[in-house]
Amino acid sequence: MNNDIILVKLGEIILKGLNRRSFEQRLMNNMRKAIEPYGNLKVYCLQSTVYVETLDDDADLDGAFEALQKVFGIIKLTRAAACAKDKDAIAKLAIEYLREDMENAKSFKVESKRSDKSFPMTSIELSQYVGGLLQDAFPNVEVDVHNPELTVNIEVRDLSAYVHAAPVQGAGGMPIGSNGVAVTLLSGGIDSPVSTYMIAKRGVRLIPVHFFSFPYTSEQAKEKVIELGNMLTDYCGRMTMEVVPFTHIQEEIRDKCPEEYFTLIMRRFMMRIAERIAKDNGAKAIVTGENLGQVASQTMEAMASTQAVMNLPVLQPLIGFDKTEIIEIARKIGTFDTSILPYEDCCTVFTPRHPRTRPRVSEVEKAESVLEIDALVEEALQGIERIELKHE
């Protein structure tokens, strides 16, 4: 049907003040990038609703609709059809466009919204009029205004009237890029892809950093993290992963530091390197998947000792989550099955038998003082491999 379009409802953007237009523009740019593979499509915004229309018969509106469900800043979206702002044209369109839905439903109601106040009928009058004609056309479907199986939605807006069934839920949040840039530490586990997703949902553009300890961790482990990064681009947009060679640092820690501090010193190095990458890329925060009390390095004291080397804020969106809640999100965004593939990451290399869980910062500083910290950090930064992540 050549008048088939997508209507997109905005989320938190509508609460913005004088800068709201900039958020709308950011969202539309992100939408255009997401639907670019699906052909010649037009995106524009009127009255707090974004419209997506096909400009030729080859455009894939189904593919575009699926892609837009993962764009942050969209709270709801629906396939709709447009017609003239005339009560009979609207009723005719509702009968034709929603014929299959009506034939499969046992009950229905009509809900109308009249953004164009010059339209001669009130919302209630329009709903009653169209509802009556729908009941005539589909006599086996009952009217139920309280708990209908199908809701027929009518919107009378600036340019046209639109008919659609119930909208689907969007990704919510804020448009990527509207709240700055951060570095996210991405391992091969369950937590870090979820924390990356959750900070991206707040409108943050992300630079994934992965620490790679070949040969203690395999090429398959690295490919697993790249695959997780590719999956996350559906939500986070285009990203470049920075793969940091971490083997020499971990060997130096193993050879020269007390075993109980291995993990804490390792994480302090990660934070130093992540902060340097952040500053080189204009990022203003570091994102981690830490979860309070989950492992020995995630006690309050351990996290304090890790973050003592930082000047940038550390964002920890999972800090108070149960593991079951994290897994639920991982399943929703599609990363769980990849995260549980049995390839180790650098966090499991040289794991101490009895890690220190309540360290003082001064103790950790003393334990790592035997290392050439600046030289090791600089060496790791010089060896970074950059990988462009992409949508499948």
Side-chain angles (χ1 to χ4, degrees):
M1 195 177 230
N2 59 11
N3 60 354
D4 204 10
I5 68 169
I6 300 172
L7 292 182
V8 170
K9 304 296 184 180
L10 310 185
E12 294 179 47
I13 293 174
I14 63 173
L15 303 176
K16 299 298 176 183
L18 297 176
N19 61 347
R20 172 170 155 181
R21 186 61 182 164
S22 66
F23 284 88
E24 292 175 346
Q25 289 292 347
R26 177 85 63 175
L27 173 60
M28 287 190 288
N29 288 339
N30 293 347
M31 290 172 59
R32 291 184 184 106
K33 290 176 184 176
I35 64 177
E36 188 177 3
Y38 302 102
N40 198 5
L41 295 150
K42 179 182 178 182
V43 179
Y44 61 96
C45 182
L46 290 171
Q47 292 181 314
S48 300
T49 296
V50 179
Y51 300 76
V52 180
E53 297 179 359
T54 58
L55 295 178
D56 58 48
D57 293 337
D58 295 328
D60 178 8
L61 207 61
D62 291 333
F65 187 82
E66 185 174 346
L68 290 174
Q69 291 179 56
K70 298 178 179 179
V71 174
F72 290 129
I74 296 173
I75 193 166
K76 290 182 180 179
L77 64 164
T78 185
R79 292 284 288 270
C83 67
K85 291 186 280 187
D86 172 81
K87 63 180 183 178
D88 292 315
I90 294 169
K92 181 180 178 182
L93 179 61
I95 292 169
E96 293 175 354
Y97 187 66
L98 298 178
R99 180 174 296 279
E100 185 176 344
D101 297 270
M102 289 293 296
E103 288 174 345
N104 291 328
K106 295 179 180 178
S107 61
F108 81 101
K109 75 171 180 178
V110 179
E111 285 189 356
S112 301
K113 294 182 180 178
R114 188 176 58 113
S115 301
D116 180 0
K117 301 305 180 185
S118 67
F119 187 75
M121 303 174 77
T122 67
S123 297
I124 292 175
E125 289 169 343
L126 180 59
S127 294
Q128 290 172 338
Y129 183 78
V130 174
L133 292 179
L134 280 168
Q135 194 169 29
D136 291 342
F138 304 97
N140 294 327
V141 187
E142 296 180 355
V143 174
D144 184 348
V145 296
H146 298 295
N147 189 30
E149 192 172 313
L150 171 68
T151 298
V152 175
N153 292 275
I154 299 169
E155 300 185 38
V156 182
R157 307 185 69 83
D158 275 2
L159 301 180
S160 302
Y162 301 90
V163 173
H164 61 87
V168 303
Q169 203 69 30
M174 299 289 289
I176 294 291
S178 62
N179 276 325
V181 183
V183 162
T184 183
L185 304 190
L186 189 62
S187 72
I190 297 169
D191 298 348
S192 62
V194 174
S195 63
T196 300
Y197 160 85
M198 291 183 67
I199 291 298
K201 187 174 182 177
R202 299 311 307 154
V204 178
R205 185 169 66 82
L206 291 165
I207 302 166
V209 172
H210 176 63
F211 294 92
F212 184 49
S213 294
F214 186 81
Y216 302 105
T217 55
S218 65
E219 282 293 332
Q220 291 100 319
K222 177 178 160 185
E223 291 300 319
K224 168 185 169 180
V225 177
I226 294 170
E227 176 61 20
L228 287 169
N230 287 335
M231 291 176 176
L232 287 167
T233 59
D234 283 348
Y235 295 96
C236 303
R238 296 165 187 164
M239 299 187 292
T240 300
M241 179 185 290
E242 309 231 350
V243 180
V244 180
F246 208 52
T247 306
H248 187 205
I249 288 174
Q250 289 193 284
E251 289 176 336
E252 285 288 289
I253 295 170
R254 176 198 62 189
D255 293 342
K256 297 178 180 179
C257 300
E259 182 183 353
E260 62 185 324
Y261 295 106
F262 280 1
T263 303
L264 294 169
I265 296 171
M266 176 194 74
R267 289 196 63 81
R268 282 163 66 90
F269 270 96
M270 288 180 173
M271 289 299 187
R272 292 183 179 105
I273 293 167
E275 186 167 69
R276 283 284 301 276
I277 293 171
K279 289 179 177 177
D280 290 344
N281 289 276
K284 304 301 182 185
I286 309 297
V287 182
T288 75
E290 289 168 303
N291 177 248
L292 188 61
Q294 182 172 242
V295 294
S297 63
Q298 293 177 14
T299 64
M300 289 186 188
E301 293 88 345
M303 287 189 284
S305 71
T306 298
Q307 295 176 25
V309 300
M310 302 284 297
N311 291 309
L312 291 178
V314 178
L315 308 180
Q316 301 165 300
L318 307 185
I319 197 70
F321 277 47
D322 291 338
K323 193 67 176 184
T324 53
E325 295 172 312
I326 299 170
I327 290 172
E328 184 180 345
I329 298 172
R331 290 188 187 280
K332 183 182 83 169
I333 65 177
T335 57
F336 179 76
D337 289 340
T338 300
S339 289
I340 61 174
L341 291 174
Y343 303 120
E344 303 290 342
D345 61 37
C346 72
C347 294
T348 60
V349 175
F350 311 138
T351 303
R353 288 164 293 182
H354 304 290
R356 190 69 183 271
T357 58
R358 311 283 182 197
R360 295 188 182 94
V361 174
S362 59
E363 294 172 352
V364 186
E365 289 173 343
K366 181 179 179 181
E368 71 179 10
S369 63
V370 296
L371 302 173
E372 297 290 337
I373 293 172
D374 293 342
L376 288 169
V377 168
E378 197 60 42
E379 177 190 339
L381 289 167
Q382 292 302 316
I384 285 176
E385 176 189 7
R386 293 176 177 86
I387 299 172
E388 295 295 326
L389 302 175
K390 59 186 183 299
H391 296 269
E392 289 299 326

